[in-house]
Amino acid sequence: MAVTALRSTPIAPVSVRDHLRVLDDAGVVGAFLGGEERAFEELVDRYQGRLLNFVYRTIGDRDRAEDLVQEAFIRVYRHIGRFDRSKKFSTWIYTIASNLAKNELRNRSRNPLVLFQSIRANFDDEERPLEFEDTQYKPDDLFRKRHLREIVEQAVGRLPVHHREVFVLRELEGKSYEEIAEITGVNLGTVKSRLNRARTAFADLVEPMVR
C-alpha cells in the first residue's frame, strides 16, 4: 500500500494585535511596559467606548466628554509606570476619568449661566442599562422604548452630582461596590448610602413620568 507523504501546511504567524487581544488587562499593560507600543492601542480599543459613555452620562456633554476621555488616556500613557499591577486596570482608568469629570462639573458650577444637562445614554451590548417592564406595549414598540430612555436620561441628569456618579457606575456601568469606592475615593459605607439615596431619588423622579 502506497504511503502518501504528508506535507505540513505552514501556519500563519499570530499577529501582535491578535496576541494582545487574548491577554487580560494586566498582560497588555505588561506588554506595553515591556516596549510594545501597540499594547496601548489595545487598551484604548478596550476602554474608549465605555469611558466615553461613563463621562458623557456624568457631565451631559458629548463633545466635552470626548476631550476628557482623550485626556484620560494621555494621563494613562504618561503615568502607567506608576500603576499597581496587583490591582485592576479598569478601576484605575475609571478613577482617572471620574476625577476629570468631577473637575469639569466643578468648573461649570462656578459659571452661573451653566445649568445641569441631561445625560444621554448610549446603550451598547456591553452595558447594563436600566429597563422598565411595560405590560401595555410590545417589546418591539420603538417609540415607547425611546420615550422610556428619555425619561431615564432626564431623571439621571437631575440627580445631585455625587449621587449621579455612583448611580451611573452601579446601575449603568455594572461596577461592584468595591470598584465604585476605589473610583470615587470614598468608603464602602458612603457608596452604599449615596447609591440608596440615588435610587430613591431616581424612583421619585421617574414615577410621575411613567404614570
Side-chain angles (χ1 to χ4, degrees):
M1 183 173 63
V3 178
T4 303
L6 297 177
R7 295 183 179 180
S8 59
T9 303
I11 300 174
V14 177
S15 71
V16 174
R17 289 308 299 271
D18 288 340
H19 173 67
L20 291 170
R21 287 190 186 101
V22 301
L23 296 178
D24 60 13
D25 288 348
V28 177
V29 171
F32 178 69
L33 293 175
E36 179 51 71
E37 286 289 328
R38 281 169 289 189
F40 192 78
E41 297 175 14
E42 175 64 23
L43 293 174
V44 172
D45 288 345
R46 292 184 184 189
Y47 285 97
Q48 188 172 39
R50 284 183 280 175
L51 288 181
L52 179 58
N53 288 332
F54 166 58
V55 176
Y56 181 27
R57 285 167 173 154
T58 303
I59 69 173
D61 182 333
R62 189 170 188 83
D63 290 338
R64 186 60 183 141
E66 291 175 353
D67 293 338
L68 294 179
V69 170
Q70 183 176 9
E71 175 62 25
F73 280 112
I74 290 173
R75 295 191 180 192
V76 168
Y77 189 90
R78 289 175 177 170
H79 304 298
I80 197 167
R82 304 178 189 174
F83 169 59
D84 183 353
R85 291 163 65 185
S86 67
K87 297 183 178 179
K88 294 181 67 172
F89 176 81
S90 61
T91 301
W92 185 58
I93 195 170
Y94 265 89
T95 301
I96 293 172
S98 175
N99 288 336
L100 289 170
K102 287 178 185 176
N103 290 338
E104 174 72 11
L105 291 172
R106 274 196 291 267
N107 291 337
R108 286 187 193 180
S109 68
R110 299 189 182 104
N111 184 350
L113 298 178
V114 177
L115 302 177
F116 76 88
Q117 299 182 30
S118 64
I119 296 173
R120 290 202 170 275
N122 295 327
F123 296 102
D124 295 334
D125 292 338
E126 295 179 355
E127 299 172 350
R128 190 169 62 91
L130 289 169
E131 295 180 356
F132 297 92
E133 183 179 1
D134 182 13
T135 57
Q136 279 188 299
Y137 293 83
K138 295 179 180 180
D140 60 348
D141 189 328
L142 296 179
F143 177 80
R144 177 64 173 173
K145 287 186 176 181
R146 188 179 302 114
H147 175 63
L148 292 175
R149 181 176 298 180
E150 290 172 355
I151 289 174
V152 171
E153 294 165 3
Q154 293 173 23
V156 174
R158 292 174 62 184
L159 295 174
V161 173
H162 55 289
H163 289 168
R164 185 194 312 164
E165 182 180 36
V166 297
F167 187 87
V168 170
L169 285 169
R170 178 62 181 172
E171 302 299 345
L172 303 180
E173 297 291 330
K175 298 295 182 184
S176 69
Y177 293 127
E178 291 76 13
E179 287 179 296
I180 296 171
E182 283 196 56
I183 291 168
T184 59
V186 299
N187 63 50
L188 201 59
T190 301
V191 167
K192 293 180 179 180
S193 174
R194 289 181 180 179
L195 185 58
N196 286 336
R197 291 179 182 178
R199 285 169 171 163
T200 300
F202 178 83
D204 290 341
L205 289 166
V206 166
E207 184 179 6
M209 293 188 282
V210 296
R211 286 176 180 170

